[in-house]
Amino acid sequence: MGKYLLTRLLYVLPSLLGVLIICFFLTRLSGDPTHLFMPVDATDEALAAFRAKHGLDRSLPEQFWLFVYNALQGDFGNSLRFSVPAMNLVAERLPATLELAMATLLIAVTIGIPLGVMAAYWRGRPIDTGIRYLAALGQSVPTFYWGIVSIIVLALWMRLLPTGGRDGLTSLVLPATTLATTMMALIIRVTRSSMLNVIEQDYIRTARAKGQTEFVVVVRHALGNSIIPVITVIALQFGVLLGGVVVTETVFSWPGVGRLAIQAIYARDYPVVQAVVLFFAVVFVFANLVADVLYSFVDPRVRLK
Amino acid sequence: MAETLLDVRNLSTAFVNGSKKVTVVDDVSFSVAPGRTLAIVGESGCGKSILSLSMIRLVPDTARTVGQILMDGEDLAAVSPQRMRQIRGGKIGMIFQEPMTSLNPIMTVGAQLSEALKLHVPELNAAERHERAVEGLRRVRLPAPEAQFHRYPHELSGGMRQRVMIAMALSCEPELLIADEPTTALDVTVQAEILALLGDLQRDTGMAVILITHDLGVVAEFADEVMVMYAGRIVERGTVGEILSDPQHPYTIGLMGSIPRFGSDDRLLAIEGTVPALSAMPPGCRFAPRCVFAVPRCAGESPVLREVTAGHAVSCHFAPLEDNL
């Protein structure tokens, strides 16, 4: 197990290098940010000084090398806007985003998996049809739309929940449920189809022939064998979740990394953009690493010798 | 016949799809005595597997079963689902055709054995359960039973998995074992070993066995009584000696003719034609379209199962054939 983990960790390195490369060149594509930060009437000397200060006067390969060298030490340079280390800004916003992401994951999993199981177990019955409609709705309506509608209905009209901000559990409900809908819908669909396949298997019949109760047959024997695709989807959806974080945080004025990213992009504050993108990429890569490790816990056939 | 363990009366199972109804098992009656082996023989699709699943009420949702399944005076067709769960795996053990896929891949052999024990022998503690599970694995002659306990199904061969299935089905000392093609998926040598094992276990425990098979070699070796099914109905029933040496139904005779015999140069006889579709059964004898002896009466009038000698029943207008043809 330890060795498996170590090998799997090594596989992470090329992915991260790729992320560094893409992240560096994408931000450079938008051009020289010097004019954005300097007054219109700035002298050539002042512009040159700004470029020298931020290393913009060097060649691209040189800049890249410096970028990687510093990034590996967690240094993404100072924010052009706030003149504080970019990573500090990300770290500051991190708890809010983690809170939102975890709440979202919790909602999506605890509602999505049981609904998927129920839909599969009662296939073709009204309850299955209902759950499938729900999943189709959740998947087809965009996150920002859910967000705005829920703000209007629940916050403005019914005044049940705050419209935004981060102030206790009540303010978490709307952004988390909004963000959870897409993921939950997908989890429902994947759980359902995976369960439908497993429930036909011979070992399910064996479990029943043993005299096992339907609940245990479904949860231990069927769900246990259906869960791998669900884990895969959750890990892959982590990317979509992070994208959703950006939108949702903006809609609900949630002071997290996603909103920081949007603000940094508008301001062409590329050290911050790089730090956020790299942070998201690292989270995504590690989410998939966690999924791989989970597989081997769930299914003994995955365990490497 | 002295004692009866299981008495199945007029059992029918039909699949219902909207207004369409397809009868797969049609008015089947038979009984099994303790310690005896009944073989149910027939080709694929004759309803023998659905019959066995009907007995423990594990047919798919779309199937409807009517009739009586009397075991120790209890009608299994009428008991509550809770009671039925106590019987499944408790009084009736079942093993299936596909050892490769019949075990849960994510649970150890030991966990799957213990599961059955936990359900039917709840008074055991964890240590006793473990001991009994390992004992069960030893009884089916698995090498190193203690080590097998912690293994996963994918680490075992097909024969070993079938032994685990047998150990599991027998772990709670059932009075009846239903074995649905237990050796079909295995190598010939492994087949012989598994059959010998089943025979020994039956002698040791005194359980009755219902053996579902299409292999007449297995029948000859293992069965006491034989029931031949064709298209959902019983066409002939009798002791293994009667069926094998004096088959009376044209279908049974055809089955006998299709077995290769060592040292014989005779051509194998095939039964012409195919089994009619279940949804389009002829109104009369279901075998009539393929029967070499068929007369117009056969197509219109369904023969009843009647005894030609004591204990040997045949469903044919002409039985016994020697006298009537």
Side-chain angles (χ1 to χ4, degrees):
Chain A
M1 193 66 207
K3 202 176 161 204
Y4 170 62
L5 206 63
L6 203 72
T7 336
R8 192 56 192 74
L9 266 171
L10 284 178
Y11 284 130
V12 167
L13 294 180
S15 320
L16 289 183
L17 184 69
V19 168
L20 279 175
I21 294 172
I22 292 170
C23 177
F24 174 85
F25 286 102
L26 268 188
T27 36
R28 292 305 185 284
L29 279 181
S30 66
D32 183 356
T34 310
H35 291 286
L36 216 65
F37 288 92
M38 298 303 280
V40 198
D41 54 355
T43 58
D44 285 348
E45 289 79 40
L47 290 176
F50 182 88
R51 290 199 180 98
K53 187 179 165 211
H54 295 282
L56 295 169
D57 53 345
R58 309 199 191 184
S59 70
L60 266 187
E62 223 176 323
Q63 283 189 45
F64 180 65
W65 169 245
L66 258 171
F67 167 70
V68 172
Y69 181 79
N70 290 328
L72 289 180
Q73 300 167 40
D75 179 9
F76 289 85
N78 284 350
S79 158
L80 301 181
R81 219 154 45 113
F82 302 108
S83 298
V84 294
M87 214 56 211
N88 288 11
L89 287 176
V90 173
E92 225 168 75
R93 306 284 195 101
L94 190 58
T97 295
L98 272 183
E99 186 182 303
L100 180 59
M102 288 304 126
T104 300
L105 204 59
L106 194 74
I107 294 171
V109 168
T110 52
I111 299 180
I113 291 180
L115 284 185
V117 170
M118 283 157 69
Y121 189 76
W122 286 293
R123 176 186 200 172
R125 309 269 182 87
I127 185 168
D128 176 30
T129 314
I131 291 171
R132 275 162 57 205
Y133 274 121
L134 198 74
L137 191 72
Q139 250 191 325
S140 48
V141 178
T143 310
F144 72 88
Y145 189 77
W146 275 130
I148 291 167
V149 168
S150 60
I151 287 177
I152 292 174
V153 175
L154 292 166
L156 288 181
W157 293 355
M158 302 171 77
R159 301 201 170 274
L160 291 174
L161 297 160
T163 54
R166 181 175 178 234
D167 183 25
L169 218 57
T170 49
S171 61
L172 182 60
V173 176
L174 280 187
T177 44
T178 300
L179 198 50
T181 43
T182 324
M183 197 170 195
M184 184 184 77
L186 200 69
I187 291 176
I188 291 175
R189 295 173 66 129
V190 173
T191 309
R192 180 179 178 274
S193 66
S194 179
M195 280 286 290
L196 280 180
N197 174 33
V198 167
I199 219 142
E200 303 274 308
Q201 299 294 314
D202 292 341
Y203 52 80
I204 298 299
R205 188 182 56 191
T206 306
R208 288 193 172 124
K210 247 184 237 183
Q212 192 51 277
T213 60
E214 280 300 287
F215 184 79
V216 178
V217 168
V218 169
V219 172
R220 188 193 296 165
H221 292 273
L223 183 59
N225 278 287
S226 313
I227 206 74
I228 282 200
V230 181
I231 295 174
T232 311
V233 154
I234 293 174
L236 290 177
Q237 277 295 297
F238 230 82
V240 180
L241 179 68
L242 293 172
V245 161
V246 174
V247 176
T248 311
E249 287 186 352
T250 307
V251 171
F252 289 97
S253 330
W254 187 263
V257 182
R259 208 154 134 244
L260 176 70
I262 287 283
Q263 289 160 348
I265 290 166
Y266 284 150
R268 218 178 281 175
D269 189 354
Y270 68 84
V272 177
V273 175
Q274 280 170 347
V276 171
V277 169
L278 201 74
F279 167 75
F280 277 179
V282 169
V283 169
F284 185 68
V285 167
F286 276 89
N288 283 281
L289 173 67
V290 169
D292 272 6
V293 175
L294 275 181
Y295 293 162
S296 67
F297 272 105
V298 174
D299 193 332
R301 288 167 296 185
V302 178
R303 266 165 235 170
L304 296 184
K305 300 265 153 41
Chain B
M1 196 181 293
E3 258 182 296
T4 302
L5 173 67
L6 179 81
D7 191 8
V8 173
R9 292 182 190 166
N10 307 103
L11 185 78
S12 295
T13 296
F15 284 86
V16 184
N17 182 6
S19 57
K20 275 183 73 177
K21 186 176 150 190
V22 176
T23 304
V24 183
V25 175
D26 194 0
D27 198 23
V28 168
S29 301
F30 62 91
S31 61
V32 190
R36 305 282 283 177
T37 299
L38 169 72
I40 302 178
V41 185
E43 59 198 293
S44 310
C46 73
K48 54 194 197 298
S49 286
I50 291 295
L51 172 61
S52 66
L53 289 176
S54 300
M55 284 187 268
I56 55 170
R57 286 176 38 192
L58 278 185
V59 286
D61 283 350
T62 49
R64 298 282 171 274
T65 300
V66 293
Q68 285 182 308
I69 307 154
L70 299 169
M71 189 175 187
D72 295 336
E74 210 176 0
D75 183 3
L76 305 190
V79 297
S80 69
Q82 290 79 2
R83 176 71 190 132
M84 196 61 224
R85 281 202 297 272
Q86 291 173 345
I87 292 166
R88 279 185 215 127
K91 288 173 88 167
I92 303 181
M94 180 136 190
I95 51 182
F96 300 102
Q97 181 172 358
E98 279 299 334
M100 301 311 276
T101 52
S102 289
L103 290 168
N104 188 333
I106 62 168
M107 284 168 74
T108 60
V109 163
Q112 297 188 54
L113 268 163
S114 306
E115 188 183 19
L117 287 169
K118 211 179 278 183
L119 285 164
H120 299 289
V121 201
E123 61 273 18
L124 297 180
N125 64 34
E128 291 167 330
R129 236 185 350 253
H130 176 91
E131 195 180 318
R132 198 156 148 187
V134 171
E135 181 49 41
L137 292 173
R138 183 172 299 126
R139 208 157 58 142
V140 295
R141 297 175 206 151
L142 268 175
E146 188 69 47
Q148 310 296 352
F149 186 90
H150 299 286
R151 288 212 168 155
Y152 286 95
H154 71 273
E155 298 171 291
L156 308 180
S157 69
M160 287 164 93
R161 288 187 214 186
Q162 197 59 300
R163 285 171 198 267
V164 171
M165 281 297 290
I166 295 172
M168 214 156 77
L170 299 190
S171 60
C172 305
E173 290 163 2
E175 295 167 41
L176 172 68
L177 176 72
I178 302 175
D180 185 359
E181 308 250 10
T183 58
T184 306
L186 303 173
D187 291 344
V188 187
T189 48
V190 182
Q191 264 186 33
E193 285 169 24
I194 295 283
L195 282 177
L197 172 70
L198 276 177
D200 291 349
L201 291 171
Q202 186 181 20
R203 264 190 298 283
D204 294 348
T205 58
M207 65 183 174
V209 175
I210 293 179
L211 177 73
I212 292 154
T213 183
H214 65 266
D215 186 338
L216 289 165
V218 170
V219 172
E221 198 145 323
F222 199 67
D224 301 308
E225 278 102 41
V226 181
M227 191 167 102
V228 182
M229 282 183 78
Y230 182 79
R233 287 185 182 164
I234 301 176
V235 293
E236 186 161 6
R237 191 177 64 202
T239 64
V240 68
E242 286 164 339
I243 300 288
L244 294 182
S245 60
D246 184 25
Q248 288 292 324
H249 195 281
Y251 176 63
T252 318
I253 296 169
L255 280 184
M256 297 300 159
S258 65
I259 316 171
R261 280 175 219 283
F262 193 71
S264 159
D265 289 336
D266 295 345
R267 284 182 68 92
L268 284 184
L269 296 172
I271 304 175
E272 292 290 324
T274 53
V275 186
L278 284 165
S279 52
M281 278 296 164
C285 174
R286 292 184 169 181
F287 188 61
R290 301 170 75 184
C291 182
V292 288
F293 305 112
V295 295
R297 179 188 170 198
C298 297
E301 190 186 328
S302 197
V304 289
L305 188 69
R306 58 193 167 83
E307 292 199 338
V308 287
T309 56
H312 186 178
V314 184
S315 164
C316 178
H317 295 305
F318 296 110
L321 290 176
E322 296 87 347
D323 303 343
N324 294 328
L325 278 177

